[in-house]
Amino acid sequence: MSASVQHADDILLKVSDLNAFYGRAHILFDVGLEVRRGEVVALMGRNGAGKSTTMKAVMGLLERSNGQVEFCGNDIAKSKPYQISRMGMGFVPEDRRVFSDLTVMENLEVGRQPAREGAVEWTPQKLFSLFPNLGEMPYRPGGQMSGGEQQMLTVSRTLMGNPYLVLLDEPSEGVAPVIVEQMANMIMTLKREGMSILLSEQNLHFAELVSDRAYVLENGHIRYQGTMQQLSANDEVRRSYLSV
């Protein structure tokens, strides 16, 4: 369901002229995108297109990047990752990074932040209703969980920060189909709660299930933007920038 009425004050994240570098290598070129309140936006492209780099640059995790990044009306382009997190932006990295020696409950406590005005307040009990698998293993160490279970735990730990916006990097990558389905259901639940999500994804079918709009990246450039419905109907764009 796409947001039909859009106002400037609905914009939660606004990125303009974003450039990013790894050493001397120029990776992102004048990237621009927006995420509005209660919206799921897919950042799509093949491997190496710059999707993860875009998320890391927005989150302040790259040593070299420049451009304008506004979140909740604040300029965060020069902010540290912990400062951005405290403002209400969560990041779920592709490589999960659970604390393997800590239990599920302890991992969740690591992510806990105070409640925020206008944001959903998350508790372990509420997360266990979202991810019943985790509720069955609250005292299992993170290192003794499957990849899909670790993915759920990483998302849950991020939600314990009560974010306004979650950057979700490749949630369907390398997990079983049943977990992919749970991830799609989770994103739709978060959207119904009013949360905003910027989703990095290669799986067009997955993105179609959950997203309102899409941006397509190739070699660090935005090549296309439109509603998810428009992208699904555009054979040329899908063939040029998304097919393997």
Side-chain angles (χ1 to χ4, degrees):
M1 186 176 69
S2 299
S4 54
V5 181
Q6 299 170 345
H7 305 288
D9 58 357
D10 287 337
I11 297 174
L12 197 61
L13 175 69
K14 183 177 177 64
V15 177
S16 309
D17 302 319
L18 181 63
N19 289 265
F21 305 81
Y22 287 129
R24 291 186 172 184
H26 194 167
I27 306 297
L28 298 182
F29 300 84
D30 298 325
V31 166
L33 58 86
E34 294 178 353
V35 182
R36 296 177 173 85
R37 296 181 188 277
E39 186 179 43
V40 179
V41 175
L43 189 59
M44 304 201 66
R46 298 187 182 102
N47 265 336
K51 305 184 300 296
S52 295
T53 302
T54 299
M55 291 194 164
K56 289 174 183 174
V58 168
M59 198 68 203
L61 291 166
L62 293 185
E63 285 188 18
R64 285 192 64 201
S65 64
N66 57 61
Q68 291 78 52
V69 184
E70 293 183 13
F71 177 58
C72 294
N74 300 306
D75 179 1
I76 63 168
K78 301 299 182 185
S79 299
K80 303 290 187 186
Y82 76 89
Q83 296 170 323
I84 296 171
S85 174
R86 288 177 182 174
M87 293 179 195
M89 187 185 298
F91 177 48
V92 181
E94 182 184 1
D95 53 2
R96 300 176 188 127
R97 300 191 190 181
V98 301
F99 294 100
S100 58
D101 293 336
L102 300 185
T103 66
V104 168
M105 290 296 291
E106 289 167 340
N107 267 278
L108 295 181
E109 284 302 316
V110 168
R112 187 186 290 273
Q113 292 193 51
R116 304 176 197 279
E117 184 179 353
V120 180
E121 185 173 357
W122 292 94
T123 63
Q125 290 68 35
K126 189 171 182 178
L127 289 164
F128 293 158
S129 69
L130 191 62
F131 294 121
N133 300 41
L134 295 184
E136 296 170 2
M137 56 181 80
Y139 303 110
R140 182 173 298 179
Q144 296 178 19
M145 302 169 70
S146 71
E149 290 162 353
Q150 289 182 346
Q151 180 77 296
M152 295 177 189
L153 180 56
T154 309
V155 171
S156 297
R157 186 181 63 196
T158 300
L159 292 177
M160 284 293 290
N162 303 315
Y164 297 114
L165 170 68
V166 173
L167 309 184
L168 195 53
D169 196 4
E170 298 277 11
S172 73
E173 179 74 15
V175 295
V178 65
I179 304 296
V180 173
E181 185 179 340
Q182 289 182 19
M183 285 290 164
N185 290 336
M186 175 270 295
I187 291 172
M188 296 307 294
T189 299
L190 298 184
K191 185 178 170 183
R192 285 193 295 270
E193 296 264 13
M195 189 173 294
S196 303
I197 296 173
L198 178 61
L199 171 76
S200 161
E201 190 54 68
Q202 289 187 69
N203 184 330
L204 181 62
H205 176 65
F206 183 86
E208 286 172 335
L209 289 174
V210 301
S211 306
D212 296 298
R213 293 188 300 113
Y215 294 87
V216 177
L217 270 170
E218 185 209 33
N219 295 330
H221 298 265
I222 297 284
R223 300 298 191 189
Y224 178 86
Q225 58 177 297
T227 67
M228 200 69 232
Q229 196 172 14
Q230 289 168 336
L231 175 59
S232 299
N234 194 318
D235 290 337
E236 183 180 349
V237 170
R238 289 190 287 111
R239 190 169 53 250
S240 297
Y241 303 123
L242 298 177
S243 61
V244 177

